[in-house]
Amino acid sequence: MITYEEYRLRTLVEDGRWPELLSAYRQARAAAVARVGEERAAAATASLGHLIAYSAPPELSVRLFDPDGGPGSAAGVADHDAGPLWEVLATRHSWLRLAPLLGPAPVRRLVAHTRVLIGEDLSYGAEPDPEGVPLMLEPWEAAGWGEGVRVRDYLPAGGSRSALLTLPATREGLGPVLLPEPAGRLRGQRTTRVLAALAEWTEVVCVRGPASQAAAQLAPGRRITGGYLPFAIAYPVLVQAGTAERSRGSADARLALWRALGAMAGGGGPLGGTGVNRAEVNALVARMRCFTWWDPSDDLRHLHLAMEDPATGLAWAVSGSDEP
């Protein structure tokens, strides 16, 4: 049964009365924050936020994130329906349209990196990233994707579509491998911490040794089906692994991966340190050896990848299966 409020909001959408819809969103969110707290309020108002972010003119939709409506009325980076509201907005308008309008720095940064993933080169059209992550796709970032799958494809009334990428996708190109005895795990590596934060359903280990010894820590046995592949093939799956939660967008995952690669390029030292060096990361990707393997127990979404840096003698393995 459609309530009067739902009918009223639908009428406002059909008539394009976006200022009234924004006012309704702000009032509802602020009231919900006061009543049930920030997290539950964000969930309760996200569907209306999605409608505004998707369909409203950019001059108005960017105001979802402005605090000028009063305490609790503005969407934050974690507000999401089928995906983060800032990502919905970023898929609808170019950076040229959004840049003069966006205010809050965290939202502005994530929108910029979303536009980069979509294919825009912002290296000369936006303020530098605070961590040094480039505002254009490196060739190895762009190489492994199919067309139009780097960011969720959002629908006007809610919901989204996205390709389901897995690693390995099939057993084609893989063969029988006898893994060595696993090397001992190294603790306290910044790269390990950042990779572990990418997807809660994966386990991450670091070893001193080749990729095969890192894989041996997490593979289902020593006799497996596996093989080597370029990092460019693994990169899209790592990005998608970081977006399994609807509160996270592809820009979140890209930033996390650049942090991990930056730490890996610097030797993956103790926790701490910020910023990435683009030249060092590109050199790392060029020399990195990556290994993947098949697990008979894999579910719908899975990721099995070991990454070795021959320059440091360190390797990381990321493995897990996300049950639907």
Side-chain angles (χ1 to χ4, degrees), residues 140 167 173-174 177 179 195 210-215 226-236 238 261 264 284-293 303-310 314-318:
W140 50 266
L167 189 70
L174 306 181
V177 176
L179 293 174
L195 283 172
S212 57
Q213 284 192 304
Y228 286 87
L229 74 165
F231 180 75
I233 301 300
Y235 175 79
L238 288 167
L261 293 169
M264 197 182 297
L284 166 71
V285 170
R287 68 177 181 261
M288 189 187 299
R289 301 188 75 221
C290 296
F291 180 84
T292 188
W293 65 93
L303 166 63
H304 308 299
L305 176 69
M307 298 169 284
E308 170 194 343
D309 181 4
L314 298 179
W316 284 263
V318 184

Coordinates of all heavy atoms in Angstrom, one line a residue, residues 140 167 173-174 177 179 195 210-215 226-236 238 261 264 284-293 303-310 314-318:
W140 N 48.2 0.3 -16.7 CA 47.9 -1.0 -16.1 C 46.6 -0.9 -15.3 O 46.0 -2.0 -15.1 CB 49.1 -1.4 -15.2 CG 49.5 -0.4 -14.2 CD1 50.5 0.5 -14.3 CD2 49.0 -0.1 -12.9 NE1 50.7 1.3 -13.2 CE2 49.7 0.9 -12.3 CE3 47.9 -0.7 -12.1 CZ2 49.4 1.4 -11.0 CZ3 47.6 -0.2 -10.9 CH2 48.4 0.8 -10.3
L167 N 38.7 -13.9 -9.4 CA 40.0 -14.3 -9.7 C 40.4 -15.6 -9.0 O 40.4 -15.6 -7.7 CB 41.0 -13.2 -9.3 CG 42.5 -13.4 -9.8 CD1 42.5 -13.3 -11.4 CD2 43.4 -12.4 -9.2
G173 N 44.0 -21.6 -18.7 CA 45.4 -21.0 -18.5 C 46.1 -21.4 -17.3 O 47.3 -21.0 -17.1
L174 N 45.4 -22.1 -16.4 CA 46.0 -22.6 -15.2 C 46.4 -24.1 -15.4 O 45.9 -24.8 -16.3 CB 45.1 -22.5 -14.0 CG 44.5 -21.1 -13.7 CD1 43.5 -21.1 -12.5 CD2 45.5 -20.0 -13.6
V177 N 50.2 -27.4 -10.1 CA 51.3 -26.7 -9.5 C 51.5 -27.4 -8.1 O 50.6 -27.7 -7.4 CB 51.1 -25.2 -9.2 CG1 52.2 -24.6 -8.5 CG2 50.8 -24.5 -10.6
L179 N 53.0 -26.5 -4.8 CA 53.5 -25.4 -4.0 C 54.6 -25.8 -3.0 O 54.6 -26.9 -2.5 CB 52.4 -24.7 -3.2 CG 51.3 -24.0 -4.0 CD1 50.2 -23.6 -3.1 CD2 51.8 -22.9 -4.8
L195 N 45.8 -3.9 2.7 CA 45.1 -4.9 1.9 C 44.0 -5.6 2.7 O 43.0 -6.0 2.1 CB 46.1 -6.0 1.4 CG 47.0 -5.5 0.3 CD1 48.1 -6.6 0.0 CD2 46.2 -5.3 -1.0
P210 N 59.1 -16.0 -2.4 CA 58.3 -15.8 -3.6 C 56.8 -15.9 -3.4 O 56.3 -16.3 -2.4 CB 58.9 -17.0 -4.5 CG 59.2 -18.0 -3.5 CD 59.7 -17.3 -2.3
A211 N 56.1 -15.5 -4.5 CA 54.7 -15.6 -4.5 C 54.1 -16.9 -4.1 O 53.1 -17.1 -3.4 CB 54.1 -15.1 -5.8
S212 N 54.8 -18.0 -4.6 CA 54.3 -19.3 -4.4 C 54.3 -19.7 -2.9 O 53.4 -20.4 -2.4 CB 55.1 -20.4 -5.1 OG 56.5 -20.2 -4.8
Q213 N 55.3 -19.1 -2.1 CA 55.3 -19.4 -0.7 C 54.3 -18.6 0.1 O 53.8 -19.1 1.1 CB 56.7 -19.1 -0.1 CG 57.7 -20.2 -0.5 CD 59.0 -20.0 0.3 OE1 59.6 -18.9 0.3 NE2 59.4 -21.0 1.1
A214 N 53.9 -17.4 -0.5 CA 52.8 -16.7 0.1 C 51.5 -17.4 -0.2 O 50.6 -17.6 0.7 CB 52.7 -15.3 -0.4
A215 N 51.3 -17.9 -1.4 CA 50.1 -18.7 -1.8 C 50.0 -19.9 -0.9 O 48.8 -20.3 -0.5 CB 50.1 -19.0 -3.2
G226 N 46.9 -23.7 -10.6 CA 47.3 -22.3 -10.5 C 48.1 -21.8 -11.7 O 48.4 -22.6 -12.6
G227 N 48.5 -20.6 -11.6 CA 49.4 -20.0 -12.7 C 49.7 -18.6 -12.5 O 49.0 -17.9 -11.6
Y228 N 50.6 -18.0 -13.2 CA 51.0 -16.6 -13.1 C 50.2 -15.7 -14.1 O 49.7 -16.2 -15.1 CB 52.5 -16.5 -13.4 CG 53.3 -17.0 -12.3 CD1 53.7 -18.3 -12.2 CD2 53.7 -16.1 -11.2 CE1 54.4 -18.8 -11.1 CE2 54.5 -16.6 -10.2 CZ 54.8 -17.9 -10.1 OH 55.6 -18.4 -9.1
L229 N 50.0 -14.5 -13.8 CA 49.3 -13.5 -14.6 C 49.8 -12.1 -14.3 O 50.4 -11.9 -13.3 CB 47.8 -13.6 -14.3 CG 47.3 -13.0 -13.0 CD1 45.8 -12.8 -13.0 CD2 47.7 -13.8 -11.7
P230 N 49.6 -11.2 -15.2 CA 50.0 -9.8 -15.0 C 49.1 -9.1 -13.9 O 47.9 -9.5 -13.8 CB 49.8 -9.1 -16.4 CG 49.6 -10.2 -17.4 CD 49.0 -11.4 -16.6
F231 N 49.7 -8.2 -13.2 CA 48.9 -7.5 -12.2 C 47.8 -6.7 -12.8 O 46.7 -6.6 -12.2 CB 49.8 -6.5 -11.4 CG 49.1 -5.7 -10.4 CD1 48.8 -6.3 -9.2 CD2 48.8 -4.4 -10.6 CE1 48.1 -5.6 -8.2 CE2 48.1 -3.7 -9.6 CZ 47.7 -4.3 -8.4
A232 N 47.9 -6.3 -14.1 CA 46.8 -5.6 -14.7 C 45.5 -6.4 -14.8 O 44.4 -5.9 -14.8 CB 47.2 -5.1 -16.1
I233 N 45.6 -7.7 -14.9 CA 44.5 -8.6 -14.9 C 43.8 -8.7 -13.5 O 42.6 -8.8 -13.4 CB 44.8 -10.0 -15.4 CG1 45.5 -9.9 -16.8 CG2 43.6 -10.9 -15.4 CD1 44.5 -9.3 -17.9
A234 N 44.7 -8.6 -12.5 CA 44.2 -8.8 -11.1 C 43.6 -7.5 -10.6 O 42.7 -7.5 -9.7 CB 45.3 -9.2 -10.2
Y235 N 44.0 -6.3 -11.1 CA 43.6 -5.0 -10.6 C 42.1 -4.8 -10.6 O 41.6 -4.4 -9.5 CB 44.3 -3.9 -11.4 CG 43.9 -2.5 -11.0 CD1 44.4 -1.9 -9.8 CD2 43.0 -1.8 -11.8 CE1 44.0 -0.6 -9.5 CE2 42.6 -0.5 -11.4 CZ 43.1 0.0 -10.3 OH 42.7 1.3 -9.9
P236 N 41.3 -5.1 -11.6 CA 39.9 -4.9 -11.6 C 39.2 -5.7 -10.5 O 38.3 -5.2 -9.8 CB 39.4 -5.3 -13.0 CG 40.6 -5.1 -13.8 CD 41.8 -5.5 -13.0
L238 N 40.6 -6.7 -7.6 CA 40.9 -6.1 -6.4 C 40.0 -4.8 -6.1 O 39.5 -4.6 -5.0 CB 42.4 -5.7 -6.3 CG 43.4 -6.8 -6.2 CD1 44.8 -6.3 -6.5 CD2 43.3 -7.5 -4.8
L261 N 50.0 -0.4 -2.7 CA 51.1 -0.5 -3.6 C 52.2 0.5 -3.2 O 53.4 0.2 -3.4 CB 50.6 -0.2 -5.0 CG 49.6 -1.2 -5.6 CD1 49.0 -0.6 -6.9 CD2 50.4 -2.5 -5.9
M264 N 54.0 -1.2 -0.5 CA 54.8 -2.3 -1.1 C 56.0 -1.9 -1.8 O 57.1 -2.5 -1.7 CB 53.8 -3.1 -2.0 CG 54.3 -4.5 -2.3 SD 53.2 -5.3 -3.5 CE 51.7 -5.4 -2.6
L284 N 57.1 -0.8 -9.5 CA 56.7 -2.0 -8.8 C 55.8 -2.9 -9.6 O 56.0 -4.1 -9.8 CB 56.0 -1.7 -7.5 CG 55.2 -2.8 -6.8 CD1 56.2 -3.8 -6.2 CD2 54.3 -2.2 -5.7
V285 N 54.8 -2.3 -10.2 CA 53.8 -3.0 -11.0 C 54.5 -3.7 -12.2 O 54.2 -4.8 -12.6 CB 52.7 -2.1 -11.5 CG1 51.8 -2.8 -12.6 CG2 51.8 -1.7 -10.3
A286 N 55.5 -3.0 -12.8 CA 56.2 -3.6 -13.9 C 57.1 -4.8 -13.6 O 57.2 -5.7 -14.4 CB 57.2 -2.5 -14.5
R287 N 57.6 -4.8 -12.3 CA 58.4 -6.0 -12.0 C 57.7 -7.0 -11.1 O 58.2 -8.1 -10.9 CB 59.6 -5.5 -11.2 CG 59.3 -4.9 -9.8 CD 60.6 -4.5 -9.0 NE 60.3 -4.0 -7.7 CZ 60.2 -2.7 -7.4 NH1 60.4 -1.8 -8.3 NH2 59.9 -2.3 -6.1
M288 N 56.5 -6.7 -10.7 CA 55.8 -7.6 -9.8 C 55.4 -9.0 -10.5 O 55.1 -9.0 -11.7 CB 54.5 -7.0 -9.3 CG 53.8 -7.7 -8.2 SD 52.2 -6.9 -7.8 CE 52.7 -5.3 -7.3
R289 N 55.5 -10.0 -9.7 CA 55.1 -11.4 -10.2 C 53.8 -11.7 -9.4 O 53.8 -11.7 -8.2 CB 56.2 -12.4 -10.0 CG 57.5 -12.1 -10.7 CD 58.5 -13.2 -10.6 NE 58.1 -14.3 -11.5 CZ 58.1 -15.6 -11.2 NH1 58.5 -16.0 -10.0 NH2 57.7 -16.6 -12.0
C290 N 52.8 -12.1 -10.1 CA 51.5 -12.4 -9.5 C 51.1 -13.8 -9.8 O 51.3 -14.3 -10.9 CB 50.4 -11.4 -10.0 SG 50.7 -9.7 -9.6
F291 N 50.5 -14.5 -8.8 CA 50.2 -15.9 -8.9 C 48.7 -16.1 -8.4 O 48.3 -15.5 -7.4 CB 51.1 -16.8 -8.1 CG 50.8 -18.2 -8.1 CD1 51.3 -19.0 -9.1 CD2 50.1 -18.8 -7.1 CE1 51.0 -20.4 -9.2 CE2 49.8 -20.2 -7.1 CZ 50.3 -21.0 -8.1
T292 N 47.9 -16.8 -9.1 CA 46.5 -17.1 -8.7 C 46.3 -18.6 -8.7 O 47.0 -19.4 -9.3 CB 45.5 -16.4 -9.6 OG1 44.2 -16.5 -9.1 CG2 45.5 -17.0 -11.0
W293 N 45.3 -19.0 -8.0 CA 45.0 -20.4 -7.9 C 43.5 -20.7 -7.7 O 42.7 -19.8 -7.3 CB 45.7 -21.1 -6.7 CG 45.3 -20.6 -5.4 CD1 44.4 -21.1 -4.5 CD2 45.8 -19.4 -4.7 NE1 44.3 -20.4 -3.4 CE2 45.2 -19.3 -3.4 CE3 46.8 -18.5 -5.0 CZ2 45.4 -18.3 -2.5 CZ3 47.1 -17.5 -4.0 CH2 46.4 -17.4 -2.8
L303 N 38.5 -14.5 -4.6 CA 39.7 -13.8 -5.0 C 40.9 -14.6 -4.4 O 40.9 -14.8 -3.1 CB 39.7 -12.4 -4.5 CG 41.1 -11.6 -4.5 CD1 41.6 -11.4 -5.9 CD2 40.9 -10.2 -3.8
H304 N 41.8 -15.0 -5.2 CA 43.0 -15.7 -4.7 C 44.2 -15.1 -5.5 O 44.4 -15.4 -6.7 CB 42.9 -17.2 -5.0 CG 41.7 -17.8 -4.4 ND1 41.3 -17.8 -3.1 CD2 40.6 -18.5 -5.1 CE1 40.2 -18.4 -2.9 NE2 39.7 -18.8 -4.1
L305 N 45.0 -14.4 -4.8 CA 46.1 -13.7 -5.5 C 47.3 -13.6 -4.6 O 47.2 -13.2 -3.4 CB 45.7 -12.3 -5.9 CG 46.7 -11.4 -6.6 CD1 47.1 -11.9 -8.0 CD2 46.2 -10.0 -6.7
A306 N 48.5 -13.9 -5.1 CA 49.8 -13.7 -4.4 C 50.6 -12.7 -5.2 O 50.7 -12.9 -6.5 CB 50.5 -15.0 -4.2
M307 N 51.2 -11.7 -4.6 CA 52.0 -10.7 -5.3 C 53.4 -10.6 -4.7 O 53.5 -10.4 -3.5 CB 51.3 -9.3 -5.1 CG 49.9 -9.2 -5.7 SD 49.0 -7.8 -5.2 CE 48.5 -8.2 -3.5
E308 N 54.3 -10.8 -5.6 CA 55.7 -10.8 -5.1 C 56.5 -9.6 -5.7 O 56.4 -9.3 -6.9 CB 56.4 -12.1 -5.6 CG 57.9 -12.2 -5.5 CD 58.4 -13.4 -6.3 OE1 57.7 -14.3 -6.7 OE2 59.7 -13.4 -6.5
D309 N 57.3 -9.0 -4.8 CA 58.2 -7.9 -5.3 C 59.6 -8.5 -5.3 O 60.2 -8.6 -4.2 CB 58.1 -6.7 -4.4 CG 59.0 -5.6 -4.8 OD1 59.6 -5.7 -5.9 OD2 59.0 -4.5 -4.1
P310 N 60.2 -8.8 -6.4 CA 61.5 -9.4 -6.5 C 62.6 -8.4 -5.9 O 63.6 -8.9 -5.4 CB 61.8 -9.6 -8.0 CG 60.4 -9.6 -8.6 CD 59.6 -8.7 -7.8
L314 N 59.8 -9.7 -0.7 CA 58.5 -9.9 0.1 C 57.4 -10.3 -0.9 O 57.4 -9.9 -2.1 CB 58.2 -8.6 0.8 CG 59.1 -8.1 1.9 CD1 58.6 -6.8 2.5 CD2 59.4 -9.1 2.9
A315 N 56.5 -11.0 -0.3 CA 55.3 -11.4 -1.1 C 54.0 -11.3 -0.2 O 54.1 -11.6 1.0 CB 55.4 -12.8 -1.7
W316 N 52.9 -11.0 -0.8 CA 51.6 -10.9 -0.1 C 50.6 -11.8 -0.8 O 50.6 -11.9 -2.0 CB 51.1 -9.5 -0.1 CG 51.8 -8.6 0.9 CD1 51.4 -8.3 2.2 CD2 53.0 -7.9 0.7 NE1 52.3 -7.4 2.8 CE2 53.3 -7.1 1.9 CE3 53.9 -7.8 -0.4 CZ2 54.4 -6.3 2.0 CZ3 55.0 -7.0 -0.3 CH2 55.2 -6.3 0.9
A317 N 49.8 -12.5 0.0 CA 48.7 -13.3 -0.6 C 47.4 -12.8 0.0 O 47.3 -12.5 1.2 CB 48.9 -14.8 -0.2
V318 N 46.4 -12.6 -0.9 CA 45.1 -12.2 -0.6 C 44.1 -13.3 -1.0 O 44.1 -13.6 -2.2 CB 44.7 -10.8 -1.2 CG1 43.4 -10.4 -0.8 CG2 45.8 -9.8 -1.0

